[in-house]
Amino acid sequence: MRISLFNVTATIEHGCRGFQKLGSSSFQGETARLLGAFSQIRAASGPSKGLLPGPYPQTPEERAAAAKKYNMRVEDYEPIPDNGEGYGDYPQLPDRSQHERDPWYSWDHPDLRRNWGEPIHWDFDMFIRNRVDTSPSPVAWRTMCKHLFGFVGFMLLMFYLGEKFPSYQPVAPKQYPYSNLHLERGEDPEKQPEEVKHFNI
Amino acid sequence: MGAHLARRYITETETEPDPAKPFGFDPEFGFGERKEREMVASQAQMNLAQVPVLQRDYCAHHLIKLMKCKRDNWPNFLACKHERHDWDYCEHQDYVMRMKEYERERRLQMRKKRVEEAQAA
């Protein structure tokens, strides 16, 4: 979500006013006060702290709390495995794009095929209907590959054979007068062409 | 139709002539006397008539007559039947000569093979 400039300036001013208030007390805690002042600078929009993703849940209670936070049932909730990449407690949802969802059900957001409050996939922006489509192909992938490459391979083979064994009519090459049209073909007029004789048969 | 292809690629691969290669036998061989083909239209005439290069064969004089007839009778595109027939007939005879040449080459190749086998035996 975009933080509007007005919000930023308002919070900075508020933070600065807070700094001025603290500035009236002793000189010693100045560093702490500086850090304290900056921790007050935060966008006024967006989810509250309780709704933001948190660290990876370790205990069953943390799991239950995280499931409730993401509007999921405890049985369904499964966090993304903790491999150090920093997903925290974000749920692992199936990698299915919005194309696969029922087009006839009356979704709250028909274009996104999503209801209000539904947990959002990590790659939701990739899975919208304008982008990546994970719908199953009409025929198995292997079959499609076999058919396509089989056909293309067959055609290549046949064209190759056609080059090796060309088909032609059982006739001699056509006979042209004037030494095989020596001048008409644009050859050197000075050079004497070899004598070509054609006969009736 | 296509028997020559079966002969060329499967049964008689050595003797069936390849039209892409020049025919090696002496043109007078086997004939008592052979008449030369006569070219009627001269090079200057073909140039003036702007005959396309690939159509400057031994039937070009008929083609030039046909072109003139068509130009004189346009837009009556049905007018030049006689000239067209003459040109077509000349081209047909030319094609038949080509077929005969091919067959002559083939028979000479087979004869050559027979002679070689008789000598080898």
Side-chain angles (χ1 to χ4, degrees):
Chain A
M1 65 225 111
R2 264 181 296 140
I3 303 168
S4 75
L5 209 54
F6 175 71
N7 278 342
V8 168
T9 47
T11 48
I12 286 174
E13 279 173 21
H14 183 262
C16 287
R17 245 175 266 128
F19 175 67
Q20 282 167 356
K21 252 205 307 208
L22 293 168
S24 58
S25 50
S26 77
F27 190 76
Q28 277 167 346
E30 190 166 326
T31 322
R33 262 178 264 133
L34 268 167
L35 289 174
F38 279 120
S39 71
Q40 292 183 42
I41 296 173
R42 179 164 71 78
S45 59
S48 59
K49 207 137 180 218
L51 291 172
L52 289 171
Y56 189 84
Q58 310 292 350
T59 66
E61 293 84 30
E62 283 179 4
R63 268 186 181 252
K68 187 166 187 315
K69 182 171 70 178
Y70 290 115
N71 292 330
M72 293 173 82
R73 297 191 312 168
V74 181
E75 307 85 74
D76 295 335
Y77 173 73
E78 185 57 48
I80 296 174
D82 186 12
N83 51 6
E85 285 185 2
Y87 286 104
D89 62 358
Y90 205 87
Q92 172 77 284
L93 296 161
D95 290 340
R96 298 269 170 269
S97 88
Q98 302 304 90
H99 295 88
E100 294 194 37
R101 295 196 173 199
D102 185 2
W104 295 106
Y105 174 77
S106 58
W107 302 96
D108 292 341
H109 299 289
D111 179 53
L112 298 172
R113 290 185 184 168
R114 180 181 168 271
N115 286 320
W116 184 84
E118 200 182 312
I120 302 178
H121 192 287
W122 185 266
D123 293 317
F124 180 76
D125 57 343
M126 182 174 81
F127 286 133
I128 59 169
R129 284 165 63 210
N130 274 329
R131 297 178 179 177
V132 173
D133 181 2
T134 60
S135 338
S137 50
V139 185
W141 191 258
R142 268 187 61 82
T143 317
M144 290 201 288
C145 280
K146 262 193 289 179
H147 287 177
L148 175 68
F149 294 124
F151 176 73
V152 170
F154 174 72
M155 292 310 290
L156 285 173
L157 174 73
M158 291 310 284
F159 277 121
Y160 173 72
L161 289 178
E163 288 296 316
K164 281 226 85 141
F165 305 111
S167 163
Y168 57 94
Q169 292 295 83
V171 285
K174 197 165 160 77
Q175 293 172 338
Y176 286 99
Y178 303 121
S179 315
N180 243 348
L181 297 177
H182 178 83
L183 291 171
E184 284 81 348
R185 286 181 205 277
E187 311 263 345
D188 187 7
E190 304 301 317
K191 191 168 115 185
Q192 275 296 93
E194 53 188 60
E195 267 304 313
V196 180
K197 274 189 169 203
H198 296 304
F199 297 95
N200 276 326
I201 180 168
Chain B
M1 291 288 289
H4 63 286
L5 295 173
R7 280 200 299 262
R8 166 96 187 279
Y9 297 132
I10 304 169
T11 50
E12 290 150 20
T13 43
E14 296 101 29
T15 51
E16 193 67 16
D18 181 2
K21 296 195 176 65
F23 290 171
F25 293 96
D26 175 26
E28 305 270 0
F29 181 51
F31 290 95
E33 190 197 297
R34 237 181 134 174
K35 254 188 19 174
E36 263 196 65
R37 275 185 100 165
E38 202 189 282
M39 184 60 195
V40 177
S42 71
Q43 287 177 297
Q45 284 172 334
M46 289 201 288
N47 274 337
L48 283 172
Q50 296 177 335
V51 178
V53 173
L54 288 172
Q55 284 179 317
R56 296 191 185 198
D57 54 5
Y58 287 95
C59 301
H61 54 290
H62 291 296
L63 179 61
I64 292 172
K65 285 230 172 60
L66 173 64
M67 285 160 80
K68 176 170 163 54
C69 170
K70 270 162 64 100
R71 188 178 67 167
D72 291 342
N73 288 306
W74 193 88
N76 183 7
F77 55 87
L78 300 168
C80 301
K81 293 215 169 89
H82 184 75
E83 283 80 2
R84 184 168 277 125
H85 177 266
D86 284 344
W87 179 56
D88 269 342
Y89 186 64
C90 176
E91 289 284 353
H92 164 75
Q93 284 183 313
D94 177 74
Y95 196 79
V96 170
M97 277 199 257
R98 283 171 74 185
M99 291 200 285
K100 289 184 192 172
E101 289 280 357
Y102 182 90
E103 182 63 20
R104 175 176 177 260
E105 177 72 17
R106 191 185 131 242
R107 290 184 191 185
L108 284 171
Q109 296 265 21
M110 298 201 68
R111 181 182 170 278
K112 183 168 137 192
K113 187 166 168 219
R114 277 199 311 269
V115 162
E116 280 168 7
E117 280 174 358
Q119 283 181 345

